[in-house]
Amino acid sequence: MHPVGAVHEFHEPAYAQNWAERFVPTPPRQALFDLIVEQLTNRALPSNHIVELGIGPGYLALEILGRSRIPSMTYEGVDFSEAMFAIARSRLVDFADHVVYTQADLTDADWTARLSQTPGAIVSTWALHDLGAEAHIASVYARARAVLPPGGLLINGDFVKPDESPFEYELGRITPSRHEELLRAAGFRDVQRLAYLEKNIDHPTSANNYACFAGIA
Ligand SMILES: C[S@@+](CC[C@H](N)C(=O)[O-])C[C@H]1O[C@@H](n2cnc3c(N)ncnc32)[C@H](O)[C@@H]1O
């Protein structure tokens, strides 16, 4: 049996387009977006600049830009795929004046140096597992902690391996407990598991088992 996971070709325009069309948010995935929008709306952030790691086709970005009501918000989507930027640009056309696209590989140490301004929050959904290794997730958490000012918020919703799973998962799908340990080790406080959605221990697929974590810088 193959490890639970998926292989992507995010740099290929046709693959990216087809994948984006299949990735249209389902009701449980929408629940994750609702949670993130609520977190951003209910907190006083140290800056109104929101950075998303792995903006992809822009589904989360559309929700945040359309609904979070952060005054004078600016949004920065980080991704390594030009093909994904093209799809996100078209989805977010109504917010074009407020969105910046920053090309960077999140496995490189210098992605924070490429940000256009200091973020008040860093968000991500279903992206960090694609970095392919726990060490890369730990590095992203550490760099996010370093670039966020005191009171800044990190929220990451991502595919996980259930703590109690007997199955092998691709290496970027780590357990919820490990995410929490890595966030604390990076220096985040008030680390919380906000949700665990579509949990399925016995019948895992590449599309179920995702959880959302938050920490304060
Ligand atoms: C599932 S998509 C994100 C979906 C997005 N959160 C949304 O709501 O539309 C994952 C994204 O992560 C990006 N990605 C994967 N590995 C990356 C890396 N090493 N550096 C930067 N971006 C990466 C991919 O190009 C893809 O656009």
Side-chain angles (χ1 to χ4, degrees), residues 10 19 23 33 52 54-60 78-81 84 104-107 125-127 130-131:
F10 288 130
W19 180 89
F23 194 73
F33 291 159
E52 180 179 356
I55 188 171
Y59 291 115
L60 172 64
V78 177
D79 210 292
F80 66 178
S81 165
M84 284 297 185
D105 188 331
L106 292 165
T107 64
T125 50
W126 301 295
D130 281 325
L131 305 185

Side-chain angles (χ1 to χ4, degrees), residues 1-8 10 15 19 22-23 29 126-127 129-130 158-162 167-170 172-173 197-198 200 203-211:
M1 190 179 150
H2 291 295
V4 179
V7 177
H8 301 295
F10 288 130
Y15 175 91
W19 180 89
R22 284 187 290 115
F23 194 73
R29 288 183 182 218
W126 301 295
H129 71 284
D130 281 325
D158 200 7
F159 292 118
V160 293
K161 170 182 177 171
F167 298 112
E168 192 187 342
Y169 277 59
E170 64 180 351
R173 296 186 190 223
L197 295 159
E198 298 199 68
N200 194 326
H203 301 285
T205 69
S206 59
N208 60 17
N209 287 301
Y210 48 96

Side-chain angles (χ1 to χ4, degrees), residues 33 36-38 40-41 50-52 58-70 73-75 92 95 123-125 155:
F33 291 159
I36 293 175
V37 168
E38 184 189 313
L40 292 172
T41 304
I50 311 299
V51 167
E52 180 179 356
Y59 291 115
L60 172 64
L62 184 63
E63 296 285 329
I64 293 175
L65 283 156
R67 293 171 49 209
S68 68
R69 302 193 308 275
I70 298 170
M73 175 175 40
T74 51
Y75 202 88
L92 304 175
F95 302 95
V123 299
S124 187
T125 50
I155 309 183

